[in-house]
Amino acid sequence: MNDMLPAEAPLWAHLEQSIQSLVRAYGYQQIRTPIVEQTALFKRGIGEVTDIVEKEMYSFEDGLNGEQLTLRPEGTAAAVRAVIEHNMLYEGPKRLWYTGPMFRHERPQRGRYRQFHQLGIEALGFTGPDIDAEIILMCQRLWDDLGLSGIKLELNSLGQASERAAHRDALVEHFKKHESELDEDSKRRLVSNPLRILDSKNPAMKAIVESAPQILNYLGEESLKHFEGVQKLLKANNLPFKINPRLVRGLDYYNLTVFEWVTTELGSQGTVAGGGRYDPLIAQMGGKAAPACGWAMGMERVIELMKEQGLTSDLEAGCDIYVLHQAGETLEPAFIMAERLRSAGLEVILHCSPDGEAASFKSQMKKADASGAAYAIIIGPDELAANQVQLKDLRRDGQQITVSMDNLVDEVINQLVSTSE
């Protein structure tokens, strides 16, 4: 787990503002669910034979009532639980989004932590390939808005249950021929969920996995039509992608379209975002059957990519005004001016001396410059007597002008407007 320190705050703010803009552009509404849910929710929703449920969940017993609880490891199961509980699909399909901390007890890697943050997009009640394409295009728009490059889309279809069953039989037959070469996890999954073997990250099994039967060869007419519909819409919007027949995702609730956005810039675990269709999940969790699809993005991973690609230079924290004064009789008017400027919508830092004594204007000016402020306002005894202040440009030519206190707000705004033009 890690701390976010002030130096990273502008990056996070920029990412969060971009997310807000993105979801508004596509008409998605925010949903918030508790960080703690009943353990059974995730076992039922995610699948018991998954790495998350078997190895990674932070689960505990509530000492007050004996309930089995879990810190949420992902957001879809919780969002679907809320949709069912509040009968949200009664009025029709819903486009939802959320952000927040998730928890998985996994080996930390670059951009991966045991407490991490996700952006989740969930579209519930939509059947066609158009919504699959929409949520995929949302990702590309976010990468574009952030200025990120080199994130590639990989696409696959898992078909429907009957098609996966036929594929499962073929997988079992294939992997049994190589059973002596399988690692312990794969041997166990050969009985419980052989599709998960395709998601193995063990390099020793790469050749066995690559020679396994492909799900695309088992898809029926309707599944192929849906998959081709997604591809057609992506191509129409000039979004390149690669068909990856080994792509299965790490959760049991997916069907039809699955996808991942991957990069080579974050080490071996290069997935930045991923998702797909999960039509069976709502009924599986006790709701009335309804189609659904969505994706999740690791926010720390995106922050790491922004740093890697140098997208931080324009995001430094800075304010509009830094107010300098000489304490004593100048402190009160300095406070009043700072509040007036904030009331006008400006960002203002008022100098406060660590020891309560008046600091020299020279030392205050160093702090003003380091703050990133566009302008400094200086008020000393002489300025106070004349009902004036000095307004100094800190970012261009260093010009300093005298301004009446009565006209200060208008003059500062005029200066800031001229600076931005």
Side-chain angles (χ1 to χ4, degrees):
M1 300 186 184
N2 68 314
D3 298 307
M4 186 206 77
L5 301 178
E8 282 195 334
L11 275 172
W12 279 89
H14 179 61
L15 175 57
E16 289 164 351
Q17 288 163 10
S18 297
I19 289 169
Q20 291 277 355
S21 176
L22 177 78
V23 294
R24 283 196 302 269
Y26 285 85
Y28 281 68
Q29 297 176 301
Q30 188 177 25
I31 185 171
R32 298 186 184 186
T33 61
I35 289 175
V36 177
E37 298 268 8
Q38 292 182 339
T39 301
L41 170 71
F42 300 113
K43 287 186 175 181
R44 188 176 182 184
I46 296 173
E48 295 205 37
V49 190
T50 59
D51 282 348
I52 292 176
V53 171
E54 290 181 331
K55 304 175 183 178
E56 298 172 359
M57 294 202 312
Y58 284 96
S59 299
F60 58 96
E61 181 178 297
D62 186 334
L64 294 177
N65 58 18
E67 261 192 307
Q68 297 300 313
L69 302 176
T70 294
L71 297 177
R72 63 185 182 194
E74 58 94 45
T76 298
V80 169
R81 190 268 311 148
V83 166
I84 296 170
E85 188 175 311
H86 299 284
N87 200 21
M88 290 175 63
L89 294 182
Y90 177 78
E91 300 171 347
K94 290 286 182 290
R95 289 175 164 94
L96 305 174
W97 72 277
Y98 52 84
T99 59
M102 310 291 167
F103 303 84
R104 295 186 192 176
H105 193 282
E106 60 181 348
R107 182 170 60 86
Q109 303 168 55
R110 184 180 179 189
R112 287 185 186 269
Y113 301 95
R114 291 175 178 175
Q115 175 180 304
F116 59 99
H117 295 76
Q118 278 188 344
L119 161 66
I121 297 292
E122 315 289 357
L124 305 104
F126 301 93
T127 303
D130 49 354
I131 199 70
D132 303 35
E134 177 180 280
I135 65 171
I136 292 171
L137 286 163
M138 287 179 77
C139 286
Q140 182 60 59
R141 187 170 298 278
L142 182 59
W143 312 148
D144 292 342
D145 290 349
L146 293 171
L148 289 168
S149 60
I151 308 177
K152 307 296 184 183
L153 173 62
E154 294 188 353
L155 199 63
N156 193 21
S157 176
L158 299 181
Q160 300 290 9
S162 60
E163 296 154 1
R164 287 197 301 281
H167 180 232
R168 180 189 189 281
D169 292 342
L171 285 178
V172 170
E173 183 180 348
H174 169 77
F175 287 124
K176 276 189 173 179
K177 293 177 183 176
H178 303 275
E179 193 164 0
S180 62
E181 303 169 66
L182 300 181
D183 58 26
E184 290 306 311
D185 272 351
S186 297
K187 286 178 181 177
R188 181 170 44 81
R189 286 173 172 168
L190 185 57
V191 176
S192 59
N193 193 344
L195 195 66
R196 294 266 62 77
I197 302 176
L198 298 178
D199 200 34
S200 172
K201 302 299 189 292
N202 185 346
M205 290 178 48
K206 183 178 180 182
I208 302 171
V209 169
E210 288 184 349
S211 62
Q214 297 185 10
I215 182 66
L216 295 176
N217 295 327
Y218 294 82
L219 298 185
E221 182 180 348
E222 287 301 311
S223 294
L224 283 171
K225 182 180 178 182
H226 187 98
F227 194 39
E228 288 164 0
V230 175
Q231 295 177 62
K232 183 178 179 181
L233 288 168
L234 297 181
K235 289 174 182 176
N237 285 275
N238 302 311
L239 179 57
F241 58 86
K242 170 189 173 185
I243 302 295
N244 178 359
R246 309 299 173 197
L247 176 58
V248 296
R249 300 291 295 145
L251 307 174
D252 281 356
Y253 49 59
Y254 287 109
N255 72 311
L256 292 175
T257 311
V258 289
F259 61 90
E260 288 186 352
W261 290 88
V262 299
T263 178
T264 58
E265 297 184 42
L266 293 176
S268 59
Q269 300 296 316
T271 302
V272 180
R277 275 209 164 264
Y278 53 91
D279 295 335
L281 183 60
I282 296 177
Q284 180 183 318
M285 290 177 56
K288 183 179 178 181
C293 62
W295 55 263
M297 176 197 83
M299 296 175 72
E300 281 86 354
R301 305 224 87 198
V302 174
I303 294 290
E304 284 296 317
L305 265 182
M306 292 169 71
K307 293 178 184 175
E308 187 73 24
Q309 297 186 11
L311 303 177
T312 62
S313 58
D314 297 329
L315 303 176
E316 298 302 323
C319 60
D320 297 315
I321 305 294
Y322 194 102
V323 179
L324 295 73
H325 59 89
Q326 284 198 308
E329 60 182 357
T330 65
L331 177 58
E332 185 175 310
F335 253 88
I336 293 171
M337 281 189 299
E339 288 301 314
R340 284 174 56 200
L341 291 164
R342 291 176 185 127
S343 295
L346 301 178
E347 299 172 5
V348 182
I349 293 177
L350 174 69
H351 180 81
C352 292
S353 179
D355 56 10
E357 300 295 327
S360 69
F361 278 138
K362 182 178 180 180
S363 66
Q364 289 188 52
M365 193 60 73
K366 288 181 180 178
K367 292 185 179 296
D369 191 57
S371 74
Y375 285 86
I377 289 175
I378 305 164
I379 177 169
D382 293 341
E383 285 80 13
L384 179 61
N387 196 40
Q388 296 174 335
V389 298
Q390 301 296 319
L391 181 63
K392 183 176 178 63
D393 187 334
L394 297 176
R395 300 295 156 216
R396 293 184 298 176
D397 53 13
Q399 181 183 8
Q400 183 169 309
I401 60 174
T402 301
V403 179
S404 166
M405 287 188 188
D406 297 332
N407 301 325
L408 176 61
V409 172
D410 289 341
E411 184 61 38
V412 168
I413 291 174
N414 288 337
Q415 290 291 330
L416 287 169
V417 169
S418 68
T419 300
S420 63
E421 291 176 347

